[in-house]
Amino acid sequence: MNLLIMGPPGAGKGSQAVIIKERYNIPHISTGAMFREAIKAKTKTGLLAKEYIDKGELVPDSVTIELVRERLQADDTKNGFLLDGFPRTIAQAQALDQILSEVGKKIDKVINLVVDEEILVIRISGRRVCKTCGETYHIVNKKPKVEEICDVCGGELIQRADDNVATVSNRIKVYYEKTRPLLNYYDDKGILINIDGSGEIEETFRYVEKIMEDANDLT
Ligand code: AP5
Ligand code: MG
């Protein structure tokens, strides 16, 4: 199954994606994570992306689309994939449809996490990520076993560079302006499913599971 997970910054896309990837054995493709890797490796794309990400702006469509086009050519996407944080503009959504149609594929389902703004801010401000492996934690909702240390690899937990108050408010603003209109784009195609993402991580995943079961019943 070819899936998209959508929702505003901090809605829990990455947290759900990690579980979906494990359970359904499909690759999790996060453009945000790909950009962070590129920034860490100081590549040309990384240096360019950093200028936008640090301000909470979107990286230009041309750069982002090429990144995804290349990633979707990898063998591990043959039996399905989960895109997280892409597309974020109508132009990206149209490009994605084009990229997929060239190889006879399409997006099957779009899972949209609905979460109120106050919750988003609490989630983002409490998020900590492992500097080494990228595992995500929260200072209240998903604590590491040892404070400031990653359970998975023992790495140091830090705040994401774009998780500061000024950048977060711009990320949310940009989401409403540029990305939210995409929900209509997918609703018109009849593949959008809105789920309540305000409960606990496991509770939200139960809604995801239901979507996957219903989709299997149809095949
Ligand atoms: P990206 O990395 O995609 O960030 P985002 O969309 O702002 O979303 P987040 O990763 O902040 O939140 P999330 O929904 O994944 O939440 P998470 O699961 O971590 O993009 C970053 C930047 O890259 C963009 O601003 C842009 O500049 C650029 N970019 C990326 N893609 C692009 C594109 N396509 N085009 C152009 N530019 C692009 O959860 C958040 C916290 O809450 C965690 O601490 C978690 O533990 C906790 N939590 C999660 N779920 C729950 C729950 N149910 N209950 C309690 N706590 C929870
Ligand atoms: Mg994320």
Side-chain angles (χ1 to χ4, degrees):
M1 181 123 49
N2 302 327
L3 301 171
L4 299 187
I5 188 152
M6 294 190 64
K13 303 181 292 294
S15 302
Q16 293 301 318
V18 168
I19 314 177
I20 295 170
K21 172 189 168 176
E22 286 298 313
R23 172 67 70 89
Y24 301 104
N25 200 21
I26 51 175
H28 167 206
I29 304 174
S30 155
T31 40
M34 288 164 88
F35 284 135
R36 284 186 286 279
E37 281 298 311
I39 291 171
K40 209 162 140 190
K42 296 194 169 69
T43 65
K44 209 173 131 205
T45 304
L47 294 176
L48 181 131
K50 188 173 179 346
E51 285 179 34
Y52 295 89
I53 293 176
D54 284 353
K55 290 185 275 190
E57 296 292 332
L58 296 183
V59 179
D61 284 342
S62 55
V63 178
T64 312
I65 290 165
E66 276 322 299
L67 192 76
V68 172
R69 185 194 299 278
E70 243 177 65
R71 180 63 184 86
L72 288 176
Q73 278 165 11
D75 262 5
D76 65 347
T77 63
K78 278 206 173 107
N79 297 321
F81 54 80
L82 171 65
L83 275 168
D84 156 10
F86 182 94
R88 268 176 142 100
T89 61
I90 296 284
Q92 290 182 13
Q94 289 168 338
L96 177 62
D97 285 346
Q98 176 65 29
I99 292 167
L100 293 175
S101 77
E102 282 165 15
V103 288
K105 292 185 186 175
K106 61 175 175 54
I107 296 298
D108 299 304
K109 294 266 172 261
V110 178
I111 301 171
N112 179 45
L113 302 177
V114 181
V115 180
D116 286 345
E117 198 165 324
E118 310 86 79
I119 299 181
L120 300 176
V121 174
I122 294 169
R123 286 186 184 172
I124 293 179
S125 56
R127 172 167 49 199
R128 297 293 181 271
V129 292
C130 175
K131 199 174 164 184
T132 312
C133 73
E135 182 77 8
T136 300
Y137 298 86
H138 190 278
I139 53 169
V140 178
N141 304 332
K142 190 173 179 261
K143 291 183 186 177
K145 292 193 183 94
V146 180
E147 215 172 300
E148 289 170 39
I149 302 289
C150 177
D151 293 352
V152 179
C153 76
E156 182 195 348
L157 301 189
I158 54 163
Q159 262 196 303
R160 244 168 63 176
D162 60 344
D163 278 355
N164 58 75
V165 177
T167 311
V168 168
S169 61
N170 196 41
R171 280 161 58 197
I172 293 176
K173 183 170 157 269
V174 168
Y175 167 79
Y176 283 109
E177 276 173 20
K178 306 209 166 131
T179 307
R180 206 171 181 283
L182 278 183
L183 298 180
N184 285 337
Y185 180 87
Y186 289 115
D187 200 19
D188 288 347
K189 289 178 185 285
I191 55 172
L192 178 74
I193 301 167
N194 292 302
I195 61 174
D196 178 8
S198 61
E200 290 181 4
I201 293 177
E202 295 71 23
E203 199 179 333
T204 305
F205 182 66
R206 281 199 288 276
Y207 296 126
V208 174
E209 262 182 327
K210 179 85 176 56
I211 293 171
M212 299 299 274
E213 281 164 18
D214 291 349
N216 277 335
D217 286 348
L218 292 174
T219 54

